[in-house]
Amino acid sequence: MMKQKSDKPIYNYKNKISLAVLLIVIAWFVYTGAKKTKINNDLYKNGQMAKANVIDRRRVGGKGIERVTYSFSYNGQRYEGWVDDDYYKVGDTIQILFLKENPSINGDKKFLDRINE
């Protein structure tokens, strides 16, 4: 007796949905990583240098990462930023780079120097 060919598709409906969700998650991670890289490159190449004051330092996450928050003023307005590193203490004055057209986009100069070496 010959086996009959199955009419079932190779991928059923659940597999198609799972694959679509997986592709969306991967695309989101790629997009987010590329966007952050573009912002960091733009800051490094076009950023305006300023001094900022470290205003807070705390542990975040389960691995004991130290997050340092800093603030600076530009055109009479106060902005904040943060960096995940432990070489700064509250009260330190640090150098940052920010975009003149959007000062809320800013970053620690030491960090940007290090990732652009």
Side-chain angles (χ1 to χ4, degrees):
M1 198 183 232
M2 258 172 82
K3 287 187 177 180
Q4 290 185 355
K5 196 174 183 181
S6 174
D7 289 337
K8 285 187 174 182
I10 295 173
Y11 293 105
N12 64 23
Y13 185 69
K14 284 184 180 180
N15 286 344
K16 286 181 181 179
I17 290 175
S18 297
L19 182 60
V21 169
L22 179 64
L23 290 175
I24 290 169
V25 169
I26 290 170
W28 180 81
F29 276 109
V30 169
Y31 170 77
T32 303
K35 182 179 175 185
K36 188 65 176 168
T37 299
K38 182 187 177 315
I39 288 170
N40 285 337
N41 285 338
D42 198 20
L43 274 172
Y44 188 71
K45 291 177 184 173
N46 305 315
Q48 178 78 30
M49 196 170 322
K51 290 186 180 196
N53 296 315
V54 174
I55 58 173
D56 188 37
R57 179 183 163 148
R58 64 183 62 193
R59 286 194 166 200
V60 294
K63 296 183 179 179
I65 296 171
E66 295 283 333
R67 176 162 292 167
V68 174
T69 305
Y70 56 83
S71 71
F72 68 100
S73 293
Y74 178 68
N75 282 343
Q77 214 160 351
R78 183 173 176 238
Y79 297 92
E80 288 186 0
W82 54 267
V83 62
D84 286 341
D85 270 313
D86 60 0
Y87 45 75
Y88 297 130
K89 309 284 184 244
V90 173
D92 285 352
T93 299
I94 65 172
Q95 290 195 331
I96 56 123
L97 296 172
F98 70 93
L99 297 180
K100 279 179 143 178
E101 59 275 5
N102 187 359
S104 63
I105 298 176
N106 57 71
D108 173 41
K109 184 173 182 331
K110 246 186 214 184
F111 172 77
L112 292 166
D113 286 342
R114 193 170 62 225
I115 65 170
N116 285 291
E117 288 180 337

